[in-house]
């Protein structure tokens, strides 16, 4: 399993690497501290199974990374990890093709369960986004169900 971690704060990146090592024993984590570096790594042909990106970074942000990947025809699952709690960012992530949006306020175990859900082909978004939302339409396909962050199996 190869994971690309895009996070401009090195302390946060180091802490996330430690957590991500729990996903499976042979996980390889490549850290990039900017979106530009991440896109260069991808353009160089790095084999990846999952991309985790911060939302707010200098230069190109996490939504810009989604756009860059889409423009390249890359379909690697992307999960945005952010402290933001505004629904407009979650909607932008879904519109941009993200497989998940994990808030930094979640406990580590729930974050890991959400990442495993995404790696198995599912999707993972905050429960409040789902309130009053239909589960049909372009952001909610039947083969990639939206997963409620408050009820991780």
């Amino acid at each position: 399993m190869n994971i690309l971690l895009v996070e401009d704060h090195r302390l946060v990146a180091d802490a996330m690497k430690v957590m991500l090592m729990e996903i499976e024993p042979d996980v390889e984590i490549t850290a990039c501290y900017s979106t530009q570096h991440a896109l260069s790594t991808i353009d160089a042909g790095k084999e990846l199974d999952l991309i985790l990106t911060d939302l707010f970074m200098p230069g190109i942000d996490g939504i810009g990374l989604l756009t860059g990947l889409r423009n390249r025809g890359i379909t690697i699952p992307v999960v945005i990890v952010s402290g933001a709690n505004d629904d407009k960012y979650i909607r932008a992530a879904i519109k941009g093709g993200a497989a998940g949006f994990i808030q930094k306020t979640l406990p580590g175990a729930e974050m890991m369960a959400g990442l495993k859900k995404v790696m198995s082909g599912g999707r993972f978004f905050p429960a409040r986004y789902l309130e009053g939302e239909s589960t049909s339409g372009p952001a909610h396909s039947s083969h990639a169900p939206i997963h409620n962050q408050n009820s991780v199996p």
Side-chain angles (χ1 to χ4, degrees):
M1 160 95 27
N2 293 318
I3 298 175
L4 181 66
L5 174 61
V6 188
E7 169 61 63
D8 61 316
H9 295 101
R10 292 178 187 256
L11 180 63
V12 174
D14 288 347
M16 289 198 57
K17 280 196 252 182
V18 170
M19 289 181 65
L20 292 171
M21 296 301 286
E22 296 177 17
I23 287 180
E24 59 181 59
D26 63 342
V27 68
E28 179 186 321
I29 301 161
T30 302
C32 292
Y33 304 108
S34 72
T35 301
Q36 295 88 337
H37 183 211
L39 289 170
S40 295
T41 299
I42 292 164
D43 289 342
K46 177 75 176 170
E47 293 286 328
L48 297 167
D49 301 300
L50 179 68
I51 299 172
L52 263 63
T53 184
D54 190 11
L55 177 60
F56 299 115
M57 294 179 284
I60 303 169
D61 64 9
I63 302 300
L65 175 61
L66 288 169
T67 301
L69 294 171
R70 188 174 59 234
N71 290 343
R72 288 165 169 79
I74 295 171
T75 60
I76 300 164
V78 177
V79 175
I80 293 179
V81 180
S82 179
N85 61 4
D86 191 325
D87 288 344
K88 72 180 177 182
Y89 300 119
I90 299 165
R91 288 187 184 97
I94 290 171
K95 182 178 178 185
F101 191 102
I102 295 177
Q103 294 173 300
K104 291 179 179 176
T105 55
L106 275 184
E110 287 184 40
M111 181 185 105
M112 297 303 290
L115 292 177
K116 288 177 182 178
K117 179 75 172 176
V118 168
M119 289 184 301
S120 68
R123 295 174 56 168
F124 190 80
F125 292 92
R128 77 173 184 284
Y129 174 78
L130 302 174
E131 293 172 9
E133 294 283 332
S134 167
T135 56
S136 62
H140 308 75
S141 66
S142 60
H143 69 280
I146 298 291
H147 189 75
N148 182 327
Q149 283 189 13
N150 290 333
S151 62
V152 176

